[in-house]
Amino acid sequence: MTHELTASRLASASSNATASGGWWRDAVIYQVYVRSFADSDGDGFGDLRGVRERLPHLARLGVDAVWLTPFYVSPQADGGYDVADYRAVDPLFGDLSDADALVDSAHALGLRVIVDVVPNHTSEQHPWFREALAGVPGARDLYHFRPGRGPGGAEPPNDWKSVFGGPAWSRTPDGEWYLHLFAPEQPDLNWEHPEVAEEFASVLRFWLDLGIDGFRVDVAHGMVKAPGLPDIGHGAQATLIGTEPLPFFDQDGVHEILRSWRRLLDSYEGPRIGVAEAWAPTSERLALYVRPDELHQAFNFRFLNCPWDPAAMRKVIDESLAATSSVGAPTTWVLSNHDVVRHVTRYGGGERGLARARAAALLMLALPGSAYVYQGEELGLPEVLDLPDSVRQDPAFARGEGQDGLRDGCRVPIPWSGGEAPYDFGDGGSWLPQPADWGGLSVAAQTGDPHSTLELYRAALELRRALPGLGAPDAGPPTWLSAPKDVLLFTRPGFACTLNTRPAVLELPSPGRPVLSSSPVETDGRTVRLPPDSCTWWAL
Ligand code: BGC
């Protein structure tokens, strides 16, 4: 089942950073949330065959790679981020031959394939955890089992809270407690145990041998816990994305693990890459994850979290670029993913939210480095805010006090064509109900409409390939030019970008010849009227 990646196939489709040392350095990577992308067998859940059938959409969109969220055997307590067998495909999504065929077809279209690996925790149904619960000698050492505190050990061993709400500890029938930074169905592994490291090296090899081009490492900052599992002290809610140093995130020991993974990745013909889903209190600490001997990329969630404020955006852009360039890595940019409210809605929703989302996409794609596009953002999909509680599957919602009870609303299956749900997502409904007014947002409805968000993304990605100044991290950081309040104006080689964050038209001297805009610009060649909440690309 090993795939030979013919260099020429991918080289021809790869973008302009290939020449300067690595396809990932300016790659646009499309996140496929597998259960919500395309359903080939009518069970209401997206699957690998569905992804494979829809790959031409991604090739036409113009992305370089696809990141597939977990499709491994799992009880689905957390959308597949609770893995029971790391080497097998869950029947919900197909089988190994579907994964194999998908990788093959993607490569034939010039698309690379990145898969998720979930090393911080397993499913409670993983054989190791079942053995641990069954009392098999030594099995508990692979996890964090501890006696409780207080009379009868009835209190959790420390004050850590789960990211999804409630204590980060659950008690077994025999009275011991085990640690789970996420849901109780996701027990945390003990990475001090050599068997854990050996097993994951073998899992990585399994998928690399199948031909995948890299891994997105889930909770890469969480694998190592501070010695002694100390209390935080003030009982604060743990958050996945925060600025507070925490005894279970961003411990120095994670870097040794990730370095050993880099050596493993480098032992394959490639380059095969590792992308850290990591959160660190500062950009400088985040940059440690992408040192030359560590992973290739880390998600830059500061950009995603940045408000619609030009000064804040400029600060995040400058600081992100400075931190990663200090270690020679490309920066990544991301606006949405399966864990956050879609950015159309974060930016205010409605027409204004959409205008800003389109502008933010052009800003992101004009910056040096690699960009991530979450399925459906190329259609301008908003968050679905009115899902009935009865259909929600996010464990954070069920646990009540999680920091984010809204992750189902960004996971609603995407519309492909037709005027009624499921909009050709499949022919058997969809696991989350789609809004009745999504027909006009479908891929088919937007194709060929020059004002559509889909055509804007297609045009932007085509230009990004054609204009070497765009994206390429080695072409240097943006040069900021003075601009009216509320406007960002920067140049890169042969190219300028304006962002008007004001909800009003703004006039300024024309920076060049407009080549693409998120809303129509008016220019007489000397002055330009920038539309409200818009981004424009200019050839110099
Ligand atoms: C994933 C989430 C998941 C969590 C636990 C995250 O970072 O993106 O979807 O719930 O890790 O695995």
Side-chain angles (χ1 to χ4, degrees), residues 202-237:
S202 156
V203 167
L204 296 188
R205 277 198 205 93
F206 178 87
W207 292 102
L208 289 165
D209 288 342
L210 189 125
I212 60 104
D213 301 285
F215 295 98
R216 177 260 190 194
V217 184
D218 189 62
V219 199
H221 57 313
M223 291 179 270
V224 174
K225 278 71 180 173
L229 312 184
D231 279 337
I232 296 175
H234 50 66
Q237 172 70 51

Side-chain angles (χ1 to χ4, degrees), residues 54-63 109 111 465:
R54 294 293 189 181
L55 284 175
H57 167 65
L58 303 183
R60 177 156 181 213
L61 185 59
V63 299
L109 288 167
L111 296 166
R465 280 166 192 268

Side-chain angles (χ1 to χ4, degrees), residues 33 67 78 81-82 116 118 121 164 182 186 216 218-219 240 277 337-339 394-395 407 411:
Y33 191 68
W67 151 32
D78 181 22
Y81 283 95
D82 48 319
D116 241 296
V118 187
H121 42 264
F164 293 155
F182 295 89
Q186 296 166 294
R216 177 260 190 194
D218 189 62
V219 199
L240 191 57
E277 187 222 18
N337 65 33
H338 65 296
D339 289 331
D394 182 357
R407 296 190 309 171
R411 299 174 177 181

Side-chain angles (χ1 to χ4, degrees), residues 3 143 145 212 225 229 242 256 281 287 300 304 350 352-353 358 413 501 514:
H3 293 276
Y143 296 89
F145 277 82
I212 60 104
K225 278 71 180 173
L229 312 184
E256 282 321 304
N300 180 10
L304 181 155
R352 187 153 184 219
R358 290 163 56 99
T501 63

Side-chain angles (χ1 to χ4, degrees), residues 338-393:
H338 65 296
D339 289 331
V340 298
V341 173
R342 283 188 178 275
H343 57 281
V344 169
T345 304
R346 287 204 320 269
Y347 289 143
E351 277 182 24
R352 187 153 184 219
L354 181 60
R356 288 175 167 185
R358 290 163 56 99
L362 285 200
L363 172 67
M364 167 173 89
L365 294 171
L367 294 171
S370 175
Y372 280 79
V373 172
Y374 175 49
Q375 68 177 41
E377 78 171 68
E378 80 279 24
L379 305 176
L381 294 189
E383 183 83 0
V384 180
L385 296 169
D386 59 356
L387 288 171
D389 291 355
S390 57
V391 302
R392 289 189 178 274
Q393 295 200 10

